[in-house]
């Protein structure tokens, strides 16, 4: 039987747009100096900015610390595009 991993609830803490801690992390899909893509309990999280760095990663505890000049945090979802379309369609009726 497959062992199910329990992670802490997803939480995002950002300090002065220069450092942050993310909990509820399953995996890091990719990272470079301009973008970090994390798989979290709440969905995929894209962190964009400059000179980004994953300072600490502990997948057993589901925690990641990031540093750099953070410009944006965006949750990505395949269903999000459909919801935005329907919202726009409703607004312009």
């Amino acid at each position: 039987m497959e062992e199910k991993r329990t992670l802490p609830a997803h939480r995002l803490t950002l300090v002065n747009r220069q450092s942050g801690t993310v909990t509820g992390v399953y995996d890091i899909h990719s990272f470079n100096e301009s973008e970090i893509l994390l798989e979290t309990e709440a969905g995929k999280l894209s962190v964009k900015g400059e000179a980004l760095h994953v300072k600490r990663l502990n997948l057993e505890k589901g925690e990641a610390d990031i540093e750099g000049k953070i410009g944006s945090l965006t949750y990505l979802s395949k269903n999000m595009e459909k919801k935005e379309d329907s919202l726009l369609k409703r607004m312009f009726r």
Side-chain angles (χ1 to χ4, degrees):
M1 195 162 156
E2 195 174 309
E3 185 178 317
K4 191 170 183 177
R5 188 170 41 161
T6 14
L7 295 177
H10 174 62
R11 183 182 345 217
L12 175 63
T13 306
L14 184 62
V15 180
N16 294 327
R17 293 178 66 177
Q18 294 182 6
S19 65
T21 301
V22 184
T23 62
V25 176
Y26 292 122
D27 196 9
I28 292 186
H29 286 283
S30 65
F31 64 93
N32 57 44
E33 287 190 349
S34 61
E35 181 178 19
I36 300 171
L37 184 59
L38 303 113
E39 179 73 34
T40 72
E41 193 173 89
K44 289 184 181 178
L45 173 63
S46 171
V47 181
K48 292 186 179 181
E50 299 172 15
L52 296 177
H53 176 71
V54 179
K55 184 177 177 182
R56 181 182 66 90
L57 174 64
N58 185 333
L59 292 178
E60 289 180 9
K61 291 184 178 181
E63 300 173 344
D65 291 343
I66 56 175
E67 291 182 322
K69 186 176 180 184
I70 298 167
S72 70
L73 300 162
T74 307
Y75 288 93
L76 309 173
S77 173
K78 292 179 182 177
N79 296 333
M80 186 165 49
E81 292 175 9
K82 293 178 184 176
K83 289 179 183 179
E84 286 178 1
D85 286 343
S86 63
L87 175 64
L88 288 173
K89 286 178 184 177
R90 283 186 262 144
M91 287 175 59
F92 292 107
R93 282 186 186 174

